[in-house]
Amino acid sequence: MAAASAAPLAINGAVKMGTTSQAYLDGSRVRETKSLISELCRQFYHLGWVSGTGGSITIKVHDDSIPKPQQLIVMSPSGVQKERMMEDDMYVLSPSGSVLFEPIAKPWPYKPPKCSDCGPLFLKAYEMCNAGAVIHSHGMESCIVTMINPSSKEFRITHMEMIKGIKGHGYYDELVVPIIENTAHERELTESLAQAIKAYPKTTAVLVRNHGIYIWGDSWISAKTQAECYHYLFDAAIKLHQLGLDWSTPSHGAIQTRKAGVSAKAGALNNGTEPPRRCIVLDIEGTTTPISFVTDVLFPYARDSVGKHLELTYETKETQDDIKLLRAQVEEDIENNVVGAVPIPSDGEKEDVIAALVANVAAMIKADRKITSLKQLQGHIWRTGFQSKEIEAVVYDDVPEALEKWNALGIKVYIYSSGSRLAQKLLFGNTGYGDLRKYLCGYFDTTVGNKRETKSYIEITESLGVDNPSEILFVTDVYQEATAAKAAGLEVIISVRPGNGPLPENNEFRTIKSFSEI
């Protein structure tokens, strides 16, 4: 693009600033994007998303000759009637956010145009998510779902068809949308939004309590499609709540009447012999699944298949992300003189890189390291194994019946394992008893923290939105994990299964040999 004068120039009664050429700003691509936003705002107005001049839309000017991060941004103005906007009412911004085109004021009683206070949040979504469009909705349903549980930091829903319309999700997946707290001025939400995006790398939306939602996509079509799906799911959750049904569980069964944090049905069955609980969080190895299955089946499969997996998928984005994560871990290991760590060539041949990766992964598996880089790669390798039926997950015989019983009682069950979330879903989705994911409400891995650190369980407690940590039961076979969870206020039971490690004598925890005892 040819540069124009940096001084403001009159363009059809409006003002153009910056260095972008006048010809490009007046061109068909920018004009079509402005017209598109006008059309979408009229549609969204009738859906109740941008009424009362609230809400906003921004779309990048698509141009195949320009990388997306460098494309211009068209944004609807603030404080104007969204359903009556025209092309020339739009702002045009540079990728960095400087104003290149500013609409002129309309005659009384219209307010002077103002660049949206959402601007910094839109720019953050563009920067962190490589988005092509961002929609900010004030839809009533997006506000109400944040009010049902004022202490919850997340909205969760599963087993709803419209979840498939959200990028990276399927019917069986649990959709998790972070909730941030509202502020007096929208620009003050920017840092909270950035933290939520970082904490939830899979999300394409962030809810703002009592306010609305920010939704983004690779293109305006992706953003619009997801916005429609999110609002549908929020509306469904509200209606299910009104009917006394729990939208966050696979069965969408009745919400149990609670007394002191326990369902009436569950309380009746306990007969006062066990403390009230709303959620159960389960470890995997030595708790739901024999340690031998992990050490004798899963680990060897990953170790023996890593070279073939990397060779076949080397050029894919997923594997390149895995390699990047492993490379960073190995560099840290070398600095700390970790046994088995060998340098990974930064500019070597593919075969040399794969050979170094295989050596490092083998050493990591041998040392049974609980690190995200290893777990992420293992999950991708195991996915291939489960899909090809080369491996089938093993769970203890008492697990399926217990999961079904807890689900019937309205108790939500979650998994917390050092294995990645993908690996967890693969395991419970491919057992000898069939797909057990229908009984599970969510999955936690080491991205929330080390399993032997108390802060990890505090993070889980805040995510689950219970009134008191004691309403969560954590079951594990590892004493150090039990101690950390107890320090966070959770109820803890230790699983004693064949092949599990020894426990300290006279420890303070209750032990069980079967889930039937819970």
Side-chain angles (χ1 to χ4, degrees):
M1 293 183 291
S5 169
L9 297 174
I11 304 176
N12 298 328
V15 176
K16 176 185 139 316
M17 305 177 204
T19 58
T20 301
S21 73
Q22 179 176 335
Y24 195 88
L25 289 173
D26 286 341
S28 61
R29 289 188 178 92
V30 174
R31 188 169 61 252
E32 289 167 2
T33 306
K34 291 179 177 181
S35 178
L36 174 60
I37 291 181
S38 298
E39 178 188 347
L40 291 176
C41 279
R42 284 191 289 274
Q43 293 181 24
F44 294 168
Y45 172 81
H46 293 292
L47 291 172
W49 297 358
V50 293
S51 59
T53 78
S56 188
I57 307 176
T58 172
I59 300 175
K60 286 207 167 185
V61 179
H62 180 72
D63 188 332
D64 289 328
S65 66
I66 302 174
K68 187 183 290 183
Q70 298 173 26
Q71 292 171 357
L72 299 186
I73 298 167
V74 179
M75 187 182 302
S76 62
S78 178
V80 300
Q81 294 176 310
K82 298 298 190 297
E83 78 282 11
R84 296 179 61 85
M85 289 191 305
M86 308 298 288
E87 286 182 22
D88 286 340
D89 293 328
M90 305 299 162
Y91 278 82
V92 181
L93 309 180
S94 73
S96 63
S98 60
V99 176
L100 302 176
F101 182 95
E102 180 180 46
I104 63 170
K106 292 183 178 181
W108 187 91
Y110 293 95
K111 291 183 178 180
K114 185 178 72 170
C115 199
S116 176
D117 209 28
C118 306
L121 289 89
F122 290 150
L123 292 173
K124 187 61 67 174
Y126 282 135
E127 172 195 340
M128 298 183 70
C129 307
N130 195 31
V134 188
I135 296 170
H136 175 42
S137 165
H138 284 191
M140 179 65 73
E141 53 271 73
S142 65
C143 292
I144 294 177
V145 292
T146 69
M147 302 176 186
I148 294 175
N149 184 349
S151 65
S152 177
K153 302 297 183 183
E154 299 171 331
F155 168 81
R156 292 174 175 265
I157 192 167
T158 188
H159 286 64
M160 292 285 286
E161 182 68 12
M162 293 295 272
I163 292 176
K164 291 162 63 174
I166 307 301
K167 181 181 177 182
H169 290 79
Y171 173 76
Y172 291 106
D173 290 328
E174 182 182 43
L175 174 66
V176 182
V177 185
I179 302 173
I180 61 177
E181 300 303 322
N182 197 25
T183 57
H185 303 286
E186 286 188 80
R187 61 181 178 275
E188 296 170 354
L189 293 167
T190 307
E191 184 57 34
S192 296
L193 180 90
Q195 291 175 1
I197 292 173
K198 185 176 181 181
Y200 296 81
K202 192 177 180 180
T203 193
T204 55
V206 172
L207 283 159
V208 183
R209 199 182 311 279
N210 306 346
H211 181 148
I213 186 170
Y214 288 85
I215 303 163
W216 54 89
D218 297 334
S219 65
W220 71 268
I221 293 177
S222 173
K224 176 178 179 289
T225 300
Q226 292 185 93
E228 292 167 353
C229 292
Y230 278 118
H231 284 81
Y232 175 97
L233 293 167
F234 298 153
D235 188 42
I238 293 166
K239 290 176 178 176
L240 288 169
H241 181 74
Q242 291 170 336
L243 293 170
L245 301 178
D246 190 346
W247 66 85
S248 64
T249 62
S251 66
H252 301 147
I255 298 174
Q256 303 295 323
T257 302
R258 288 171 52 210
K259 289 186 178 181
V262 65
S263 72
K265 186 175 181 181
L269 291 178
N270 281 341
N271 291 321
T273 60
E274 291 196 0
R277 60 179 66 101
R278 292 177 58 196
C279 305
I280 295 178
V281 178
L282 302 173
D283 172 49
I284 293 181
E285 294 179 56
T287 302
T288 67
T289 299
I291 292 177
S292 59
F293 171 71
V294 178
T295 58
D296 299 344
V297 178
L298 289 184
F299 283 177
Y301 183 87
R303 182 194 62 225
D304 297 341
S305 303
V306 63
K308 179 176 69 175
H309 173 82
L310 292 172
E311 180 70 32
L312 292 174
T313 64
Y314 191 81
E315 304 300 334
T316 66
K317 183 179 184 302
E318 181 178 83
T319 295
Q320 285 299 310
D321 288 342
D322 290 345
I323 293 173
K324 182 179 179 180
L325 203 59
L326 281 164
R327 191 187 299 277
Q329 181 64 57
V330 170
E331 288 174 355
E332 180 182 327
D333 290 347
I334 292 174
E335 289 181 7
N336 294 326
N337 297 316
V338 174
V339 176
V342 298
I344 301 173
S346 57
D347 54 358
E349 296 292 331
K350 171 181 172 181
E351 292 75 14
D352 296 333
V353 173
I354 291 177
L357 288 166
V358 169
N360 280 290
V361 169
M364 292 173 177
I365 292 176
K366 183 178 180 180
D368 191 22
R369 298 186 63 187
K370 313 295 185 181
I371 48 178
T372 301
S373 57
L374 173 63
K375 299 303 178 181
Q376 180 171 298
L377 176 63
Q378 285 177 322
H380 295 150
I381 296 173
W382 290 330
R383 179 178 59 199
T384 301
F386 281 117
Q387 289 175 343
S388 65
K389 305 300 181 183
E390 293 181 81
I391 48 179
E392 180 181 78
V394 176
V395 296
Y396 293 113
D397 294 338
D398 53 274
V399 170
E401 183 178 351
L403 292 177
E404 183 177 8
K405 178 184 72 174
W406 296 334
N407 184 71
L409 293 174
I411 299 174
K412 298 180 180 180
V413 182
Y414 299 84
I415 303 299
Y416 180 29
S417 171
S418 58
S420 67
R421 291 181 179 181
L422 171 60
Q424 296 173 33
K425 293 177 183 179
L426 289 169
L427 190 152
F428 287 100
N430 297 275
T431 77
Y433 292 91
D435 190 344
L436 299 179
R437 291 176 298 177
K438 60 185 177 181
Y439 300 120
L440 302 174
C441 295
Y443 308 85
F444 296 99
D445 60 14
T446 51
T447 56
V448 304
N450 189 293
K451 293 185 69 183
R452 301 189 179 196
E453 295 181 359
T454 298
K455 63 181 181 181
S456 303
Y457 299 91
I458 294 174
E459 180 67 26
I460 290 175
T461 299
E462 292 176 349
S463 298
L464 298 185
V466 297
D467 296 327
N468 193 302
S470 63
E471 297 176 77
I472 303 173
L473 168 64
F474 177 55
V475 186
T476 180
D477 65 308
V478 179
Y479 177 75
Q480 291 86 346
E481 295 176 6
T483 302
K486 181 181 179 182
L490 280 67
E491 179 198 357
V492 180
I493 291 176
I494 292 184
S495 171
V496 178
R497 304 277 194 174
N500 287 9
L503 298 172
E505 293 185 7
N506 303 318
N507 71 78
E508 68 273 30
F509 296 105
R510 174 189 169 191
T511 61
I512 58 165
K513 296 182 178 180
S514 168
F515 281 0
S516 62
E517 300 175 50
I518 301 177

